[in-house]
Amino acid sequence: MSEKERTTLFIDFEFTMPDRNSRRRGFYPEIIEAGAVLVENGKIVEQFSSYVRPMRFPILTERCRSFLSISQEQVNSGITFKALVDKLKSMGGSKNCQIVTWGNMDMKVLQQNCQQASVAFPLPGKQIDLSMEYKRFFGDQNQTGLWKAVQEYGREGTGKHHRALDDALTTYHIYKLVEKDKQYLQKPEPATIGDMVDFSKLLNKFA
């Protein structure tokens, strides 16, 4: 399937966090904010952003509130987890829709939250962890943070880091840049020494 025909859903979640010294029995991260960007034929056709009410531990910890800058009131006004699952299913519920996230935690937490809520996982399509693709593509030893990756490309991220929709949009921007670079690499002509020298100058600009 060509890039033009493909449907891709870019997702980012923010989750609850335990306080550093707390031992909450049975604690697991729950989605409290969701951002999703649906792209068809290379164009954004739908964006979704919402706070989500956690089921198991509805009161946010101080650490979670300060780290994510999300208030208890914002989360209290959010949609239910079931409503989030229904929305994700309506956006990306087809097997032909690939799911792209930065890192593998988003899908792990979604799967765990679905199990806890006894609802079916809504996204049957191929899952791509763009941070691993980026790591393989650039040969980085360590997994790169989302916004560090954008800055390495000489861009700024979209909006605010740790805002779910902004992070989903930023993931989409990096995806486009990586796909474009992959196409350059697939060109059959071998690079000349002159090209390599120019390329090193370009890299220095971003260093």
Side-chain angles (χ1 to χ4, degrees), residues 158-207:
T158 300
K160 280 187 187 165
H161 192 18
H162 294 311
R163 275 284 73 86
L165 180 58
D166 293 339
D167 283 359
L169 282 163
T170 299
T171 302
Y172 171 49
H173 292 320
I174 295 184
Y175 178 82
K176 284 194 295 187
L177 292 166
V178 171
E179 289 298 310
K180 198 171 168 186
D181 280 352
K182 278 183 184 168
Q183 286 166 10
Y184 287 139
L185 287 190
Q186 283 161 6
K187 285 186 178 174
E189 317 88 67
T192 65
I193 293 294
D195 290 340
M196 288 174 174
V197 171
D198 287 348
F199 187 60
S200 69
K201 275 186 197 156
L202 181 69
L203 286 180
N204 288 337
K205 273 189 190 169
F206 292 112

Side-chain angles (χ1 to χ4, degrees), residues 85-118:
V85 169
D86 289 344
K87 181 63 185 175
L88 292 174
K89 190 171 182 180
S90 78
M91 289 178 84
S94 150
K95 278 198 170 132
N96 296 327
C97 181
Q98 67 178 6
I99 311 302
V100 177
T101 54
W102 188 269
N104 62 5
M105 275 300 288
D106 298 277
M107 290 301 103
K108 280 185 177 170
V109 172
L110 179 60
Q111 274 167 331
Q112 186 182 27
N113 287 190
C114 285
Q115 284 167 355
Q116 294 285 347
S118 303

Side-chain angles (χ1 to χ4, degrees), residues 128-140:
I128 294 173
D129 173 356
L130 189 59
S131 74
M132 292 306 289
E133 290 252 318
Y134 185 94
K135 183 180 168 184
R136 278 195 297 269
F137 183 61
F138 289 104
D140 272 4

Side-chain angles (χ1 to χ4, degrees), residues 9-14 33-38 44 46-51 91 146-147 157-173:
L9 185 62
F10 296 86
I11 290 177
D12 185 84
F13 299 131
E14 304 300 341
E33 190 187 5
V37 179
L38 184 63
I44 294 176
E46 188 178 355
Q47 294 184 34
F48 169 73
S49 174
S50 181
Y51 292 105
M91 289 178 84
L146 173 59
W147 283 48
T158 300
K160 280 187 187 165
H161 192 18
H162 294 311
R163 275 284 73 86
L165 180 58
D166 293 339
D167 283 359
L169 282 163
T170 299
T171 302
Y172 171 49
H173 292 320

Side-chain angles (χ1 to χ4, degrees), residues 140-158:
D140 272 4
Q141 294 305 306
N142 305 313
Q143 231 167 320
T144 304
L146 173 59
W147 283 48
K148 180 169 176 271
V150 183
Q151 283 155 1
E152 283 173 0
Y153 262 118
R155 311 274 176 111
E156 287 304 314
T158 300

